[in-house]
Amino acid sequence: MTTQNSQNKEPVWSVSDVNRAMREMVENGFRSFWMTGEVGSLILHRSGHAYFSLKDERSQIRACWFGGVNEMRKLGIENGTKIEVFGSLSVYETRGEYQFNCRQARIAGVGDLYRKFEELAKKLAAEGLFAQERKKPVPKMPGTIGVVTSSNGAAIRDFLNIAGRRFSGLNIKIYPCQVQGSTAAESVARGVEFFNRANNVEVIIVTRGGGSMEDLWCFNEERLVRAVAASNIPVISAVGHEIDTTICDYAADLRVPTPSAAAELITGDRENVAKHLDQLNFALQRNVEFAISRNQSKLNEMLHRLREPERMLSNFRQRIDELDSSMQIRSMDFLHTKKLDVEKFSVKLDALDPRKMLNNGYVFVAESATGKPVTTSRKVPGTKLDLTFADGVMQVKVDGKNSKNNSKSADTATQGELF
């Protein structure tokens, strides 16, 4: 805190006041920003905080990253590493030293790699190379596995060790290739294409151990990503550690965090498989026993029925009697219905009987020669007609025709003879 000189009344600042004021001025005067430099005097404290200096050709500045020890170890930062850090300036009041408080860090040049990563990933995603519908199912326990990796790297040793321990006897084919450097992408892509041409494996695993973004960069190159996406055989990407992500992961049918995880996933667990087989065997035995018991019951029932043929015949006889009685009842009902129908038709026919009309004074006229009924008065003279009355038939002959006097009959008939 400040005091006041009793003689000249001027304020007197303490060292703490000055350092505090400087801290406020520095912190309020600078926004957060990115800064690059080479790491020196690195101390990874057991508290989890990292203390170091950043320097270039002419200057250096103290820096600290509270809680940043684990992240720096993951990035592989050590003395001499050129990095880019994001944070803000501050003043350590106890010593009166200004320093850079870091909140993020990356290897210098990684920013450009990230931009390339994002641009290529965006381009290939727009083409549909990462679409879910393109993904092929990965077999659970393939008999033949193809591995594309370095033949002398830690990744293949871990993979073979875990695969052999969990399920020995698997057929694993290795395509040795480069997994780091300018020609690595082409080398790995040729391995994926080789297994597709040979068509001698059920799944392809592209793998390598962990490393920096630059170390893993070949798995972000378009040549390899397109080869993985075009594979007709399912591809598993097992590159780096769990925190590492590559564009190859997006194009693969399945991504696992490490080579060891790939071995565990693809080989299964012999103990679990054996347990599952025991469960299937037990279930099969139960199903067989149940089927035998059920069929034995049916067989016993059939034998029991065969031992009582008389009872079966009695049932058939009774059923036949029931059907016969039912048929008789239905036949009687049918005949009665038809009889009523006949009676109705008889009444109608009786009403239409011509003979009853003759009793009312009507006469039926027909040509004697042909027996055809006469329906018109225009008959040629000399025609013989049969006149049918209620009590007999009279034959007449037409003598003439009178067409002028409608009040008289149209024809004049001679005397007829009733016969």
Side-chain angles (χ1 to χ4, degrees), residues 47-105:
S47 64
H49 308 319
Y51 302 94
F52 54 97
S53 63
L54 285 175
K55 56 186 177 179
D56 56 20
E57 294 80 2
R58 294 189 297 258
S59 304
Q60 70 174 14
I61 184 175
R62 296 295 303 170
C64 65
W65 189 356
F66 298 113
V69 168
N70 290 336
E71 191 65 26
M72 294 192 77
R73 284 174 175 164
K74 290 178 182 179
L75 293 172
I77 297 175
E78 55 188 17
N79 287 324
T81 303
K82 191 172 183 180
I83 64 173
E84 296 172 351
V85 290
F86 180 81
S88 58
L89 287 174
S90 183
V91 172
Y92 181 42
E93 295 181 26
T94 303
R95 294 181 181 173
E97 299 175 349
Y98 87 99
Q99 63 186 24
F100 186 84
N101 288 344
C102 174
R103 296 199 296 273
Q104 295 180 14

Side-chain angles (χ1 to χ4, degrees), residues 88-368:
S88 58
L89 287 174
S90 183
V91 172
Y92 181 42
E93 295 181 26
T94 303
R95 294 181 181 173
E97 299 175 349
Y98 87 99
Q99 63 186 24
F100 186 84
N101 288 344
C102 174
R103 296 199 296 273
Q104 295 180 14
R106 64 193 182 198
I107 304 300
V110 171
D112 294 334
L113 293 179
Y114 272 117
R115 283 191 290 274
K116 291 180 181 179
F117 180 101
E118 293 173 355
E119 289 172 0
L120 181 58
K122 185 176 180 180
K123 170 187 172 182
L124 299 182
E127 294 181 20
L129 263 64
F130 310 149
Q132 193 61 37
E133 54 269 22
R134 292 175 56 95
K135 306 295 184 184
K136 295 174 285 296
V138 176
K140 290 184 177 180
M141 294 185 64
T144 308
I145 303 167
V147 182
V148 181
T149 189
S150 172
S151 59
N152 56 4
I156 191 61
R157 290 196 299 271
D158 292 344
F159 183 90
L160 293 176
N161 181 42
I162 293 175
R165 185 177 71 248
R166 292 172 64 88
F167 214 117
S168 61
L170 285 173
N171 187 0
I172 300 175
K173 300 179 182 295
I174 302 173
Y175 184 94
C177 64
Q178 299 177 18
V179 292
Q180 184 173 337
S182 59
T183 61
E186 177 65 28
S187 181
V188 178
R190 285 199 299 266
V192 174
E193 293 165 349
F194 167 80
F195 282 125
N196 273 268
R197 288 193 304 272
N199 196 26
N200 57 354
V201 296
E202 298 174 49
V203 64
I204 300 171
I205 300 175
V206 175
T207 186
R208 69 148 283 166
S212 65
M213 191 172 191
E214 294 96 327
D215 296 337
L216 304 179
W217 187 251
C218 70
F219 297 94
N220 296 318
E221 293 192 28
E222 186 171 356
R223 167 73 175 97
L224 174 55
V225 175
R226 289 192 180 277
V228 169
S231 175
N232 294 319
I233 301 172
V235 177
I236 297 177
S237 176
V239 178
H241 297 306
E242 190 168 357
I243 61 170
D244 298 319
T245 301
T246 67
I247 302 179
C248 188
D249 296 338
Y250 301 153
D253 299 293
L254 181 66
R255 185 255 178 183
V256 292
T258 62
S260 300
E264 292 175 359
L265 172 73
I266 209 66
T267 59
D269 191 324
R270 171 177 289 183
E271 183 177 347
N272 290 336
V273 172
K275 186 183 297 184
H276 182 61
L277 290 175
D278 289 340
Q279 293 173 349
L280 292 177
N281 184 49
F282 178 72
L284 179 62
Q285 289 180 353
R286 289 189 59 185
N287 290 336
V288 170
E289 291 172 358
F290 176 75
I292 292 174
S293 176
R294 182 180 58 187
N295 291 328
Q296 185 66 48
S297 299
K298 289 183 178 180
L299 179 61
N300 292 337
E301 184 179 354
M302 293 177 65
L303 291 173
H304 180 69
R305 290 179 179 179
L306 291 174
R307 294 189 189 103
E308 300 179 2
E310 185 62 31
R311 181 182 62 80
M312 296 174 65
L313 290 174
S314 298
N315 290 338
F316 288 135
R317 291 192 190 101
Q318 182 176 350
R319 180 59 179 159
I320 289 172
D321 291 341
E322 291 175 353
L323 293 174
D324 180 63
S325 299
S326 176
M327 184 177 64
Q328 290 182 8
I329 293 172
R330 292 186 180 184
S331 298
M332 293 177 64
D333 290 342
F334 178 77
L335 292 174
H336 179 69
T337 301
K338 295 304 177 184
K339 183 179 179 181
L340 293 176
D341 293 340
V342 170
E343 291 177 354
K344 290 178 183 179
F345 286 124
S346 297
V347 172
K348 291 182 180 181
L349 290 173
D350 186 61
L352 297 174
D353 190 350
R355 288 174 296 183
K356 290 190 176 182
M357 299 178 67
L358 295 178
N359 288 333
N360 295 328
Y362 291 96
V363 177
F364 179 73
V365 181
E367 294 181 5
S368 298

